[in-house]
Amino acid sequence: MASSRLFNNIGRLGIGLAIAGGAINSMLYNVDGGHRAVIFDRFQGVKPDVIGEGTHFMIPWLHRPIIFDIRTRPRSIPSITGTKDLQTINITLRILYRPRAEILPKIFTNLGLDYEERVLPSITNEVLKSVVAQFDAIELITQRTLISQRVSELLTERAAQFGLLLDDISITHVSFGPEFTSAVELKQVAQQDAEKQRFLVEKAEQSRQANVIAAEGDARAADLIGKALGEAGDGLIELRRIEAAEDIAGQLSKSRNIVYLPHGPQMLLNISDDIKDSSTIERMNFDNIFRRFILTQSFVRGWGNPLHLQEIFMYRRDKIGVRDECLKLVPAESVQDNTIEIVKQEIKGDCTYIHGRFRSPLADYLPNLVPPEIATAHFQLILPRDHRLGIDPIPIGLCYAGTGDHGFSRRRLVTAVPLINQYRIASILLENPYYGLRKPPQQSRSSLFYVTDLYIMGKALILETLVLLHWCQKMKLTPAILHGFSLGGHMASLAFTNWPGPLSLLSCASWSTSSTVYCDGVLSRTIPWALLKQQFYENKAYQTFYEYLRERNRSTDSNVTIADPIKDMMRLLMDEFTSLFNYSRPVQSNISNALFIACINDGYIIRDGIPHMNDLWPGCHIRYIPRGHISAFLLNQSGFHDAVAEMLQRQQPDVKLKKYPIITPASIASPGKS
């Protein structure tokens, strides 16, 4: 009996505790981070107090908490409106908004939880229609910055009346109605016909002058050759033998037939036995010889849509080229746990390979310019096998692809695995837009369709780098360095300009701009200049944009004589989009962590006539190596690995590396500012 009473008492006690626990639990509620709560009282209505984050008490039945998310959120709002000249346009506005926390009770009382649905579409359409109606259709393109500023001012003022704060307002898409587009096309066709006739007349005149000049040149050349033979003897003949041998070797390499070469000097291939050391091979310009075996062409479809060219230009000038504005496009709070999707994880040997992807921010801001394949960024994270991601800190290198470097295998073999084995430095290999997993289906290898594709590639990589650097901080992948070779090195330099925190840079075989790469270097032979010339003279829009660029640069090159407008336009475009002069200078504390390794005998990167890196970034380090572009990649990889570790150690001297490098002087003497 006693035991029975004991169990009954325990049972009643347990029931009492359960009831008490349930009652207490019903009196508690949580407010998560980035949220606020207001209380609805059944007798008094909505209370004026705003409840902060944490766990709070309430009276069950009498009180009901209403939770608000006060973090910045994006919203895209399309609108169809009319211009001053009665043209119909489709315009899309992207807004980053959040409610004012202190007046949440008023917002709930007047608008409810779906306040953004009630307010944003109506005021956005109202403001857009009122502003756009003040401009002609053409002015929407030429004065986009002014329009965006007016929309931002008016919309911010209107939203404030409803208790909403707008952190950023961007015009992401503008398209015209079919009638206007058709009228523009008809006008362009008429202008192109007129320009074509003018071009034919000029071509005939130029051909006549060329014949006269050629005849004069032949006479002059005969005189000079005679003098050279008298002064240099057999030296000139030997030089011509080497040049002829290069041409013959290039032609034979392209032939599908089997060719038997005779022994002896008949084919001019018995180049002197004196050419044995590496420096002599460099003087033969190995970069040019190597390029003859690479069949990839550049910009096979020409310049690209001129309206797209103007849109990218304005976006570079107003947003991505200005660090504070660029950081607003990818704020740290926008990179959440679900931003990066881990697709696959595998272990091979002593390394862990993690495949990830995320949406490229440029696809949200310029959706009409970014093909679907480009919109998703793919990368591979390579870690030591025993590393615990997100728990243990580890230095990281973000490695960019060079020209034609599709996929991850080459960079993984040549760069990532050696960095882990030698220094225990992890790597993120980011896939270039238009390469590998991000290549449009009709694109052949690395043959970009348009000149604009190269600029879209650069802008996408800059914003994608911000996403990855924010993610690296969350995952304890620090300190970080951006590095790459050739195209990859220049992309690393562009991305380096916009990061506000500690960061290092190793840019190998690249320089301050890509203009001489495509206009003077080896790659200039891969460009279809005839196609670019035809499009330039057939479309007035290209000529108008060229005149605008020339006017912008008139103060810097006013004494330059323009011999070839097509090549000059290519030079101006490349300088406009790739010159580090047109981007923010890196934060001062990071410039001393930046190293440029330049090849003295580089046939791809021509450094003459363009800004020197010491002038653009005073205090950065420059190291010259006596190699060409291709030989540096083949023979200097270990030096690049050491430089990665060296620049990380400059950023953070106590960084934990498997093999501690000794910081050496980062600059060596070279003949002038090469």
Side-chain angles (χ1 to χ4, degrees):
M1 293 295 292
S3 62
S4 177
R5 285 195 299 273
L6 177 62
F7 283 121
N8 289 335
N9 291 335
I10 292 175
R12 285 194 292 271
L13 178 60
I15 294 172
L17 290 175
I19 294 173
I24 293 175
N25 184 64
S26 66
M27 298 171 63
L28 300 175
Y29 67 95
N30 292 324
V31 179
D32 295 331
H35 293 71
R36 295 292 185 271
V38 297
I39 300 298
F40 174 75
D41 188 297
R42 291 185 181 272
F43 296 119
Q44 301 178 7
V46 178
K47 291 192 171 184
D49 299 326
V50 178
I51 311 301
E53 301 166 356
T55 301
H56 306 276
F57 287 95
M58 68 175 181
I59 301 176
W61 183 84
L62 180 62
H63 292 161
R64 176 167 63 91
I66 296 96
I67 309 298
F68 281 85
D69 186 348
I70 63 167
R71 295 173 296 186
T72 299
R73 289 180 289 173
R75 182 183 179 92
S76 294
I77 301 176
S79 177
I80 300 176
T81 183
T83 63
K84 184 178 180 181
D85 53 354
L86 303 181
Q87 299 297 331
T88 300
I89 67 163
N90 296 310
I91 187 168
T92 301
L93 208 63
R94 189 175 189 270
I95 302 171
L96 295 179
Y97 70 94
R98 55 189 170 90
R100 288 179 56 189
E102 64 272 17
I103 62 171
L104 285 178
K106 181 179 178 182
I107 293 176
F108 179 70
T109 300
N110 296 332
L111 301 173
L113 283 171
D114 57 344
Y115 57 90
E116 70 276 13
E117 291 291 342
R118 298 172 181 265
V119 173
L120 289 178
S122 58
I123 65 173
T124 300
N125 277 283
E126 176 191 354
V127 169
L128 280 175
K129 291 179 185 297
S130 63
V131 172
V132 171
Q134 302 174 27
F135 296 88
D136 294 336
I138 297 299
E139 292 175 337
L140 292 179
I141 299 297
T142 59
Q143 301 187 32
R144 182 164 179 168
T145 302
L146 175 61
I147 296 171
S148 180
Q149 180 181 355
R150 290 190 182 179
V151 170
S152 179
E153 293 173 353
L154 292 176
L155 195 56
T156 300
E157 181 181 348
R158 291 283 287 124
Q161 299 174 5
F162 297 94
L164 300 185
L165 299 176
L166 305 185
D167 294 331
D168 184 67
I169 301 170
S170 301
I171 298 176
T172 60
H173 175 69
V174 177
S175 62
F176 299 96
E179 296 83 1
F180 181 79
T181 304
S182 176
V184 171
E185 291 177 351
L186 291 174
K187 180 181 177 182
Q188 290 293 334
V189 169
Q191 291 178 341
Q192 290 166 13
D193 288 340
E195 290 295 330
K196 183 177 181 180
Q197 296 302 320
R198 183 174 67 85
F199 171 70
L200 292 175
V201 173
E202 292 180 355
K203 182 179 179 181
E205 177 63 22
Q206 292 294 330
S207 178
R208 184 188 67 79
Q209 294 181 7
N211 291 333
V212 174
I213 294 173
E216 295 174 352
D218 289 342
R220 178 62 177 164
D223 182 51
L224 292 177
I225 290 174
K227 291 181 180 179
L229 288 173
E231 296 174 0
D234 294 339
L236 179 62
I237 297 176
E238 191 62 28
L239 175 62
R240 291 295 182 260
R241 285 165 57 85
I242 293 174
E243 292 175 348
E246 280 191 42
D247 291 335
I248 294 171
Q251 295 297 326
L252 294 179
S253 68
K254 300 176 183 178
S255 175
R256 298 183 179 180
N257 301 321
I258 298 175
V259 179
Y260 295 94
L261 299 179
H263 177 72
Q266 290 87 344
M267 293 294 292
L268 300 177
L269 291 171
N270 58 328
I271 297 176
S272 172
D273 293 337
D274 295 335
I275 303 177
K276 295 178 181 179
D277 60 272
S278 60
S279 61
T280 307
I281 294 175
E282 290 290 0
R283 285 196 294 272
M284 287 178 61
N285 205 341
F286 179 67
D287 289 344
N288 286 278
I289 298 174
F290 177 83
R291 184 65 210 180
R292 297 192 179 189
F293 295 92
I294 306 300
L295 303 179
T296 302
Q297 298 295 304
S298 303
F299 319 134
V300 293
R301 296 185 183 176
W303 298 106
N305 189 318
L307 293 179
H308 292 176
L309 195 61
Q310 296 175 31
E311 190 168 1
I312 304 170
F313 164 75
M314 290 186 288
Y315 209 72
R316 195 281 309 158
R317 183 190 62 188
D318 300 334
K319 296 288 185 180
I320 295 182
V322 183
R323 181 166 48 250
D324 292 341
E325 294 298 321
C326 187
L327 290 172
K328 293 178 182 179
L329 303 178
V330 189
E333 58 270 17
S334 67
V335 181
Q336 303 296 326
D337 294 339
N338 60 350
T339 300
I340 304 292
E341 178 187 359
I342 302 301
V343 179
K344 182 174 65 172
Q345 181 171 335
E346 53 186 345
I347 296 177
K348 294 182 179 179
D350 295 330
C351 298
T352 299
Y353 301 152
I354 297 176
H355 300 258
R357 64 189 179 192
F358 59 94
R359 181 168 176 81
S360 176
L362 193 68
D364 293 327
Y365 293 110
L366 298 176
N368 56 316
L369 303 187
V370 179
E373 299 82 11
I374 312 302
T376 299
H378 296 266
F379 69 92
Q380 188 175 96
L381 170 62
I382 303 174
L383 298 165
R385 180 171 183 166
D386 59 350
H387 180 76
R388 298 176 298 175
L389 181 62
I391 300 177
D392 301 327
I394 186 173
I396 187 80
L398 180 50
C399 182
Y400 299 83
T403 302
D405 194 356
H406 297 255
F408 309 117
S409 57
R410 184 194 301 175
R411 284 178 288 164
R412 184 172 61 234
L413 175 65
V414 173
T415 302
V417 173
L419 284 177
I420 286 182
N421 292 338
Q422 296 178 37
Y423 292 106
R424 197 177 171 83
I425 297 174
S427 292
I428 289 179
L429 311 179
L430 178 60
E431 183 83 278
N432 267 7
Y434 302 97
Y435 281 13
L437 296 171
R438 310 179 70 180
K439 186 176 73 171
Q442 297 180 349
Q443 178 179 305
S444 174
R445 295 181 295 178
S446 309
S447 299
L448 299 182
F449 288 150
Y450 304 106
V451 176
T452 53
D453 291 349
L454 181 67
Y455 307 144
I456 293 173
M457 176 193 294
K459 305 306 161 280
L461 286 176
I462 290 174
L463 297 184
E464 290 161 16
T465 300
L466 293 178
V467 174
L468 288 173
L469 289 176
H470 286 312
W471 185 69
C472 284
Q473 290 187 334
K474 292 177 179 290
M475 295 292 104
K476 297 187 177 180
L477 300 172
T478 56
I481 181 172
L482 310 182
H483 64 98
F485 184 88
S486 190
L487 172 67
H490 197 73
M491 293 302 174
S493 303
L494 292 175
F496 183 71
T497 61
N498 283 329
W499 185 249
L503 189 63
S504 296
L505 169 69
L506 173 63
S507 181
C508 304
S510 75
W511 205 234
S512 59
T513 179
S514 296
S515 58
T516 56
V517 175
Y518 292 95
C519 294
D520 306 308
V522 172
L523 287 182
S524 64
R525 302 175 186 173
T526 70
I527 295 178
W529 294 108
L531 173 63
L532 296 179
K533 183 175 183 178
Q534 178 184 352
Q535 293 181 353
F536 180 85
Y537 284 109
E538 287 182 352
N539 193 331
K540 184 67 175 179
Y542 294 125
Q543 301 171 44
T544 302
F545 193 56
Y546 168 66
E547 292 169 0
Y548 171 74
L549 294 177
R550 172 112 318 273
E551 185 65 29
R552 275 173 57 88
N553 291 269
R554 192 171 301 280
S555 59
T556 58
D557 54 6
S558 56
N559 297 325
V560 176
T561 301
I562 307 303
D564 185 352
I566 310 306
K567 185 166 287 190
D568 187 52
M569 180 172 179
M570 178 68 76
R571 193 182 306 276
L572 291 172
L573 285 174
M574 289 295 171
D575 278 337
E576 193 64 51
F577 287 98
T578 70
S579 174
L580 296 176
F581 177 79
N582 289 324
Y583 294 80
S584 298
R585 180 180 291 180
V587 294
Q588 189 60 39
S589 58
N590 282 342
I591 292 183
S592 59
N593 303 331
L595 169 61
F596 289 81
I597 296 182
C599 306
I600 294 178
N601 301 308
D602 201 324
Y604 285 72
I605 312 298
I606 310 300
R607 298 186 299 278
D608 295 334
I610 60 176
H612 195 277
M613 282 310 307
N614 280 144
D615 296 330
L616 293 184
W617 296 357
C620 71
H621 304 286
I622 301 174
R623 183 172 297 158
Y624 297 90
I625 57 176
R627 298 196 183 279
H629 199 82
I630 303 302
S631 59
F633 178 81
L634 296 175
L635 305 175
N636 209 71
Q637 287 298 326
S638 62
F640 298 153
H641 303 155
D642 295 340
V644 169
E646 176 185 331
M647 301 317 293
L648 280 171
Q649 194 181 31
R650 285 185 179 274
Q651 177 192 155
Q652 186 174 316
D654 60 346
V655 60
K656 294 182 179 180
L657 300 175
K658 186 175 181 180
K659 182 176 94 176
Y660 284 86
I662 298 175
I663 296 181
T664 57
S667 301
I668 66 171
S670 66
K673 288 187 175 182
S674 299

